[in-house]
Amino acid sequence: ELTFIHRFEPAAGLNRPPLLLLHGTGGDENDLISLGRMVSPGSALLSPRGKVLENGMPRFFRRLAEGVFDEEDVRLRANELADFVTEARKAYGLEAPVALGFSNGANIAAAMLMLRPEALAGAALLRAMVPLRDAPKADLTGKRVLMVSGLKDPIVQAENSARLAASLSSAGADVQHEALPTGHGLSQTDLQLMLKWFAGSG
Ligand code: MLT
């Protein structure tokens, strides 16, 4: 019995890494399935539902206010999600997945990279921010990370996403950080950037 409610779609033949799909606040395991199919056709898709409820809205960790995180919970939940990935890899016979996370889902993926780098082969982080003030020094050598930020994002300051990109790079990740003239929501350009980036990960 796996420890998160989730959807799983097996790989469909092509040699693409599995994706770990991580929704935003108020989403669920269904939200990113079609996006995952689009950006990485043929990948196995593993899509858990966040276990924390904020006024009934699923999330991946607790927050004290918008953009102010309960960092103890971030650590606990990132470890719990990494353990789920290990279980699911065994149950479904998967390689380490590439995370595809939006907003709160991108933030938990960033925390997993810092706390449990072995859990992920890489990550596409949409509208991510720094999840932990003092993260341990992780070794992210060989991991590809795409970050797409919005310059008009009212939740994530440009300085904050730049700081996350810098800390992932300094840990050895191969980071591509794109800042778009958009807000917190996703745009066609996000999709185009992801298509290109995922095509280079086969
Ligand atoms: C978070 O709580 O992870 C960020 O504020 C993004 C969000 O979910 O709105």
Side-chain angles (χ1 to χ4, degrees), residues 70-84:
D70 175 343
E71 295 200 12
E72 196 180 315
D73 198 58
V74 173
R75 287 169 192 272
L76 186 121
R77 301 294 177 178
N79 279 302
E80 182 183 52
L81 189 57
D83 291 342
F84 165 73

Side-chain angles (χ1 to χ4, degrees), residues 24-25 59 61 63 65-67 69 103-104 107 129 155 184:
T25 303
R59 292 173 47 84
F61 57 83
R63 65 179 163 184
E66 195 168 85
F69 301 154
S103 189
N104 181 249
N107 296 340
M129 56 190 285
I155 299 175
H184 200 66

Side-chain angles (χ1 to χ4, degrees), residues 39-52:
V39 299
S40 188
S43 279
L45 303 177
L46 178 63
S47 187
R49 183 192 303 181
K51 285 186 182 184
V52 170

Side-chain angles (χ1 to χ4, degrees), residues 4 21 27 43 50 55 60 74 80-81 84 93 97 103 113 117 122 135 145 147 161 173 195:
F4 275 75
L21 302 175
S43 279
N55 303 317
F60 288 96
V74 173
E80 182 183 52
L81 189 57
F84 165 73
S103 189
L113 284 170
V145 176
M147 276 184 63
S161 56
L195 279 166

